[in-house]
Amino acid sequence: MRVRGWTLAALLLVATAAAGTEAPAPLRFDGAPVQGALVRGWAPPGTSLALRGKNVRVDADGAFVLGFGRDEAGPVPLEITPPQGPARTERLAVARREWPIQRIDGLPPGQVTPDTAALERIRAEQTRLDAARAVDSPEQGFRGPFTWPASGPISGVYGSQRVLNGQPRAPHVGLDIAGPEGAPVRAPAAGVVRLAEPDLFFLGGTVILDHGHGVTTLYAHLSAVAARPGQRLGPGDALGRIGKTGRVTGAHLHFALYWQGIALDPAGLLPQTRPAAE
Ligand SMILES: [Zn+2]
């Protein structure tokens, strides 16, 4: 799915040739804009960027990252303001993907259709989750590389349409790794802990790591949380253990990736080879 070395240079040359001006320095990307993709890129230092009108953090060396949601239809406007010269807007086409349907039966009815008291709790938890996923810090972990946070078979993929006990629900926006209960969960890249909760309604034991530039990762259904808010983790540091807390039918890690709060596909970041069981 990933197209290495994809560049806007060709498009920009066509555009500027038509306008009769000097070609602006191109942006470089390490992947193509695809639904669910996190795409890292480099701009000439001093460039300002805004995607869909929202500012994108650009480092001193020009490194930045963009995210494209599951249902992103495109074209998505990327406003580029170089250190010198006029701003320009590129419209990024976003390649579509097919999403499978996943049926899960046998969940407790109260977890599929929560009662009023549960809804209040869910809303309060949602606010805290949203705040942790909205962090846009200068942390550097987003540059990667990212490694698998746990070992085990994949039991759920990003983007699948969910039907729970026969009722259509929101799509699944994470990767499920069916490791054994108690197996360690490790930070896939450097990050700062922004949320560490032992028991959320849907997610159970949950940790959110901030990798900088709006990139966060989430770990759910943990049987044990071994991280505290503000803690800095290096790649491979343990943050908890696989469990079956929250809304689950069995022990697994729900691993999710966000950029500026938009859920992305973590599989696109991970190496092809999965780690052996610990
Ligand atoms: Zn999941």
Side-chain angles (χ1 to χ4, degrees):
M1 180 182 83
R2 185 174 292 184
V3 181
R4 290 220 170 259
W6 180 80
T7 171
L8 277 177
L11 289 172
L12 293 173
L13 286 170
V14 171
T16 52
T21 56
E22 196 185 325
L27 308 187
R28 286 190 298 118
F29 294 90
D30 77 346
V34 175
Q35 288 179 333
L38 182 79
V39 177
R40 285 162 289 196
W42 294 266
T47 302
S48 298
L49 297 174
L51 191 72
R52 303 178 206 91
K54 200 173 170 196
N55 279 347
V56 173
R57 183 184 286 269
V58 181
D59 261 349
D61 68 352
F64 65 91
V65 64
L66 306 177
F68 303 93
R70 175 188 185 271
D71 300 314
E72 189 86 76
V76 184
L78 176 65
E79 193 180 317
I80 306 163
T81 309
Q84 287 100 31
R88 62 187 192 273
T89 299
E90 298 299 328
R91 295 188 185 279
L92 307 180
V94 180
R96 287 174 180 274
R97 292 173 62 184
E98 298 278 332
W99 306 114
I101 292 177
Q102 184 181 27
R103 293 175 199 281
I104 301 175
D105 296 311
L107 285 165
Q111 289 195 343
V112 177
T113 310
D115 62 22
T116 312
L119 282 174
E120 230 167 85
R121 177 183 160 193
I122 291 163
R123 265 194 288 272
E125 291 177 356
Q126 194 63 42
T127 302
R128 297 175 55 212
L129 287 162
D130 288 346
R133 290 185 293 227
V135 171
D136 185 347
S137 78
E139 292 296 322
Q140 295 291 303
F142 75 96
R143 292 172 186 257
F146 282 71
T147 55
W148 286 82
S151 58
I154 303 302
S155 56
V157 295
Y158 169 91
S160 53
Q161 183 61 56
R162 282 244 162 128
V163 182
L164 307 182
N165 291 359
Q167 300 178 43
R169 285 292 182 270
H172 181 244
V173 287
L175 188 66
D176 290 341
I177 303 172
E181 188 163 15
V185 176
R186 301 186 178 283
V192 175
V193 178
R194 298 295 179 195
L195 180 140
E197 286 287 333
D199 189 24
L200 300 180
F201 184 85
F202 287 124
L203 299 177
T206 303
V207 170
I208 293 180
L209 279 185
D210 165 21
H211 304 288
H213 285 230
V215 178
T216 57
T217 51
L218 176 148
Y219 310 83
H221 310 309
L222 303 173
S223 61
V225 170
R228 53 178 199 286
Q231 187 181 357
R232 187 172 292 276
L233 298 182
D237 286 353
L239 59 83
R241 293 189 175 276
I242 290 182
K244 51 183 181 192
T245 54
R247 185 170 75 182
V248 290
T249 52
H252 71 278
L253 171 66
H254 173 86
F255 172 44
L257 169 71
Y258 298 86
W259 177 75
Q260 293 193 349
I262 302 167
L264 306 177
D265 187 357
L269 276 185
L270 298 172
Q272 297 285 323
T273 312
R274 302 219 297 275
E278 287 190 52

